[in-house]
Amino acid sequence: MEFKLDESQETEIKTYVFDVVKDAIKQATTTSKPYLNRKEIAKYFGVAESTITYWASLGMPVAVIDGRKLYGKQSITNWLKSHEMPSQRQNKKPV
């Protein structure tokens, strides 16, 4: 099977592939670091940066080194686990 692309389509595909590879490399290097900054840790847990700030105000562990805050993935995972509760199922019957 052969595809024929015009120059703009070829450029678009090359750009897309480049961006995908760049993001994959960034993700791979971020996931190997045990400590992340606020933006990285928010992305890692899939929450907003403001949520990280809020969690820190609730006692989530934060390492402060020379005024710079770093967040340990394992420490935060353990902190979140310590706050897990069984779900509260409500036995409401449809009306």
Side-chain angles (χ1 to χ4, degrees), residues 13 22 24 28 35 50 53 57 60 62 70 85-86:
I13 289 173
K22 186 173 77 173
Y35 286 86
S50 59
T53 302
S57 76
M60 180 186 74
V62 179
L70 295 172
M85 294 186 227

Side-chain angles (χ1 to χ4, degrees), residues 17-59:
V17 170
F18 177 77
D19 289 343
V20 167
V21 170
K22 186 173 77 173
D23 288 346
I25 290 169
K26 186 175 181 181
Q27 174 105 14
T29 58
T30 299
T31 55
S32 66
K33 297 189 306 189
Y35 286 86
L36 304 173
N37 64 32
R38 187 174 70 136
K39 182 178 183 177
E40 293 168 331
I41 202 71
K43 185 174 181 180
Y44 179 80
F45 282 103
V47 298
E49 290 180 50
S50 59
T51 300
I52 297 301
T53 302
Y54 176 66
W55 287 352
S57 76
L58 296 176

Side-chain angles (χ1 to χ4, degrees), residues 63-83:
V64 181
I65 306 201
D66 289 332
R68 183 171 179 225
K69 294 179 180 178
L70 295 172
Y71 303 86
K73 292 186 289 189
Q74 190 61 48
S75 300
I76 295 173
T77 299
N78 292 338
W79 182 79
L80 288 169
K81 284 181 181 179
S82 74
H83 287 79

